[in-house]
Amino acid sequence: MTLFFHELRQGRKALAVWSGGIGLLLAICIFLFPEMKGQVDGLNEVFSSMGSFTAAFGMDRLNFGTLTGFYAIECGNILGLGGAFYASFCAVGILAKEEKDHTAEFLMTHPVSRVRVLTEKLAAVLAQILGMNVLLFALAAGCIAAIGEPLPWKELWLLHLAYTLLQLELAGICFGISAFLRRGGFGVGLGLAAMLYFLELVANISEKAEFLKYITPFGYAEGADILEQGSLDGGLVAIGLALGAAGIAAGYWQYTHKDLH
Amino acid sequence: MDAIRTEALTKRYGKARGIEQVSLRVQQGEFFGFIGPNGAGKSTTIRTLLGLLRPTSGTAEVCGYPVGREMRPILARVGYLPSESAFYPGMRVGEVLRLSAGLRKKSCKEAAGRLCERLQLDPGRRVEELSFGNRKKVGIVCALQHDPELLILDEPTSGLDPLMQKEFFAILQERHKSGATIFLSSHILSEVQRNCGRAAIIREGRVIACDSIEALARTSARRVTLHGSAPLEGLAGIRDKKEADGIVSFLYSGEMGRLLAALAAGQVRDLTVTEPDLEEIFLHYYEGKGDVG
């Protein structure tokens, strides 16, 4: 477990900064809700008449006046995108940084098998992502309680669960990518997260592009769908987790076979 | 048992040269030198032995275990000092040493303390603030603190000041006396000559000679440079003679007494006699018994 704790120590600053940043935006958003609620009639009209833009964010199907509708759109975007960026950032560097910073020579000449290194590093990535999500869930619940709204436990839990799964899927894919990189790949990781996010927007706008929902993890983390159905789409989640697992498997295969420089 | 044994070990990759058909035997308890200029394949050989690189062909054994997928028994017995030590940012020296010991599931606190003291390394310093030489010292402690059977050292003295080099070699000699095998890769002939019993010379990825230091040194000439003039004609063993601006320089492998007599008979204002640089020794090996190794 030495390496696991080492990775947690190495990643604690990034975790604090990302959690702090996402948490702050999330809190600000929730505290804006009471004010928004008062103007909701006008807002709903405005937001639901912006054509494609409305569809892209699922605002044609969500009611801005309810806390859950508001939370799914505003906070969903913050948490969805922010969390996705953090998960990619965290996972895409975890293996590649050893060669980029020339520490692979230090690490891999200790009597630790490559499989063990991979497992402890993966565990550290997952632990950090889960840690951040627990933190943000507690923060969101706390903020909602603070503005005096009744807590929509089920919706809140489903939304956060979806974002956590999304992050885990992305982390799995980026972990796999990381094994192939020799230099830092933060651009690749963040780019991938952003691209998948936009694929979801496209899928929302055009019916022809709906199949994109099966590719991007944002497909099963779409607030409007989750609130409408009251559950996650098991099929999409399964596809997503399979993609994440495939990424991890590719990472294991590549890293146990590659030359380390 | 051999500490290191390679049979026709070959590693080719990308644009780098790699190594070709390297066959080496280092016996347990030897102080073995591995000499070659930068880029000759020293580090590639070492990294292949440590499992960082997968060999293209050939086999290797370290401490009696085959180099391959399962490297743990080897790595547990080896202390490795890379030519350039890099550590994780944000850590203090002491933390790096504890991490290294932790990865070996050992507590090396006492040994680490003693080594830090001898090398004058402050465990409280942050690694990214360290000079090249001090980073090297951290690498040395990491390589030595778990008391390995086999020490593999890649250019260990670069960056160390002369006093530290002396202390470092004193430590190595102690380890050698207590039974450790030492594999010292270097491009500095004199440090190999002073410390090692046997050495191999590698050039362009191939081992071109492997013999005792005495045998290798016997065949090596001296580079003589003099200001002024001396009657050198007819003196046997002069090669690669260059003359410019009153400075004469040549490689001498003949009898020293004759050279001194010739110099005494001439008008020499200044004189240096040095070891030829490695390139010259390699040339010598290429011209003479090129495929000794």
Side-chain angles (χ1 to χ4, degrees):
Chain A
M1 295 300 274
T2 307
L3 190 58
F4 173 76
F5 289 113
H6 167 71
E7 287 299 341
L8 291 190
R9 257 198 311 279
Q10 289 278 303
R12 66 187 168 199
K13 259 186 207 155
L15 177 62
V17 168
W18 282 90
S19 305
I22 298 171
L24 186 71
L25 287 171
L26 209 59
I28 291 174
C29 243
I30 295 172
F31 284 117
L32 280 178
F33 177 70
E35 206 170 317
M36 301 282 269
K37 203 163 70 168
Q39 309 157 5
V40 72
D41 292 339
L43 273 175
N44 265 341
E45 224 164 88
V46 172
F47 280 123
S48 57
S49 58
M50 292 192 292
S52 301
F53 195 74
T54 307
F57 292 98
M59 291 187 294
D60 45 351
R61 291 179 287 157
L62 287 170
N63 184 354
F64 234 64
T66 62
L67 177 75
T68 49
F70 174 82
Y71 189 81
I73 295 174
E74 290 295 331
C75 302
N77 275 325
I78 294 168
L79 190 57
L81 202 52
F85 278 149
Y86 173 68
S88 308
F89 165 84
C90 194
V92 84
I94 194 80
L95 299 171
K97 69 179 179 184
E98 300 288 346
E99 282 182 274
K100 175 178 156 263
D101 300 335
H102 306 288
T103 46
E105 209 173 21
F106 171 84
L107 179 62
M108 296 310 221
T109 50
H110 285 83
V112 187
S113 70
R114 290 199 189 180
V115 170
R116 176 101 199 180
V117 167
L118 285 158
T119 307
E120 293 203 24
K121 278 177 172 279
L122 180 63
V125 169
L126 300 183
Q128 289 178 82
I129 291 174
L130 292 177
M132 182 179 85
N133 281 285
V134 169
L135 216 77
L136 292 177
F137 183 80
L139 179 81
C143 289
I144 292 172
I147 59 171
E149 290 285 328
L151 268 163
W153 283 116
K154 189 187 165 201
E155 289 82 359
L156 194 63
W157 158 245
L158 278 176
L159 286 169
H160 277 258
L161 177 68
Y163 297 128
T164 309
L165 290 171
L166 173 157
Q167 290 162 29
L168 294 179
E169 177 187 339
L170 262 177
I173 296 170
C174 287
F175 183 81
I177 294 174
S178 190
F180 287 85
L181 300 174
R182 293 213 190 284
R183 300 204 168 77
F186 294 134
V188 180
L190 299 188
L192 178 71
M195 188 190 77
L196 292 174
Y197 176 77
F198 284 112
L199 285 186
E200 165 64 10
L201 297 190
V202 173
N204 274 343
I205 293 168
S206 160
E207 280 185 15
K208 276 187 202 142
E210 256 204 41
F211 69 94
L212 290 174
K213 271 193 187 302
Y214 293 97
I215 299 172
T216 166
F218 289 92
Y220 56 76
E222 173 63 51
D225 295 339
I226 295 172
L227 292 188
E228 264 177 10
Q229 291 160 10
S231 67
L232 300 186
D233 184 327
L236 290 184
V237 171
I239 294 174
L241 292 186
L243 281 175
I248 292 171
Y252 268 79
W253 195 87
Q254 167 66 6
Y255 210 73
T256 47
H257 286 80
K258 84 191 285 202
D259 283 345
L260 293 173
H261 294 278
Chain B
M1 192 183 74
D2 291 325
I4 297 173
R5 182 190 188 128
T6 71
E7 299 284 351
L9 194 64
T10 299
K11 175 67 188 175
R12 300 190 196 104
Y13 57 103
K15 286 175 220 137
R17 179 177 288 119
I19 50 172
E20 283 287 336
Q21 303 278 323
V22 168
S23 296
L24 280 177
R25 280 181 82 162
V26 179
Q27 285 169 351
Q28 228 173 9
E30 265 197 285
F31 204 136
F32 190 89
F34 195 44
I35 320 168
N38 295 326
K42 298 191 298 288
S43 296
T44 302
T45 307
I46 289 174
R47 286 179 187 164
T48 310
L49 289 177
L50 294 170
L52 292 169
L53 307 177
R54 311 258 177 229
T56 309
S57 63
T59 57
E61 258 180 36
V62 177
C63 298
Y65 295 90
V67 171
R69 299 196 71 79
E70 181 52 274
M71 290 302 294
R72 278 177 294 179
I74 293 177
L75 295 173
R77 289 167 173 80
V78 169
Y80 168 55
L81 173 64
S83 57
E84 275 178 50
S85 302
F87 303 104
Y88 298 101
M91 291 180 82
R92 292 181 190 280
V93 172
E95 289 170 334
V96 171
L97 300 180
R98 273 196 298 281
L99 173 66
S100 176
L103 288 169
R104 296 184 178 281
K105 298 194 175 71
K106 280 186 170 186
S107 168
C108 311
K109 211 175 157 200
E110 257 177 64
R114 274 198 306 276
L115 286 164
C116 283
E117 210 175 295
R118 286 184 73 171
L119 295 168
Q120 296 167 16
L121 178 64
D122 176 2
R125 297 273 303 274
R126 287 189 176 280
V127 281
E128 61 260 44
E129 291 166 2
L130 296 179
S131 64
F132 182 67
N134 277 320
R135 273 212 305 280
K136 198 100 199 178
K137 291 180 190 172
V138 182
I140 293 172
V141 181
C142 284
L144 289 169
Q145 63 174 353
H146 58 288
D147 205 11
E149 285 174 30
L150 168 64
L151 273 163
I152 296 183
L153 312 163
D154 195 359
E155 307 276 355
T157 49
S158 56
L160 292 183
D161 63 55
L163 274 178
M164 272 307 132
Q165 290 189 19
K166 208 177 146 206
E167 185 64 29
F168 172 64
F169 278 110
I171 297 172
L172 289 189
Q173 289 295 353
E174 288 164 23
R175 294 292 171 103
H176 181 227
K177 276 201 190 85
S178 57
T181 310
I182 298 173
F183 185 84
L184 169 70
S185 149
S186 175
H187 64 268
I188 303 165
L189 194 59
S190 58
E191 72 184 23
V192 171
Q193 234 164 358
R194 266 201 309 274
N195 293 285
C196 300
R198 281 199 321 136
I201 298 178
I202 184 168
R203 180 189 156 131
E204 290 179 358
R206 291 173 186 274
V207 171
I208 55 168
C210 182
D211 211 332
S212 71
I213 291 297
E214 290 78 21
L216 290 173
R218 237 196 331 267
T219 55
S220 67
R222 289 290 177 269
R223 164 68 56 185
V224 179
T225 308
L226 59 93
H227 292 235
S229 63
L232 298 169
E233 297 76 26
L235 208 57
I238 287 183
R239 279 185 296 132
D240 192 26
K241 190 170 163 190
K242 291 173 216 151
E243 272 189 84
D245 305 326
I247 299 172
V248 187
S249 168
F250 54 90
L251 269 180
Y252 186 73
S253 53
E255 236 175 85
M256 260 316 152
R258 290 201 181 164
L259 175 66
L260 291 175
L263 293 174
Q267 296 233 309
V268 178
R269 290 193 303 280
D270 195 4
L271 173 72
T272 55
V273 181
T274 57
E275 290 172 330
D277 60 44
L278 272 176
E279 233 6 75
E280 290 169 332
I281 290 195
F282 292 136
L283 278 179
H284 171 76
Y285 273 101
Y286 264 47
E287 285 163 3
K289 33 179 186 170
D291 31 37
V292 181

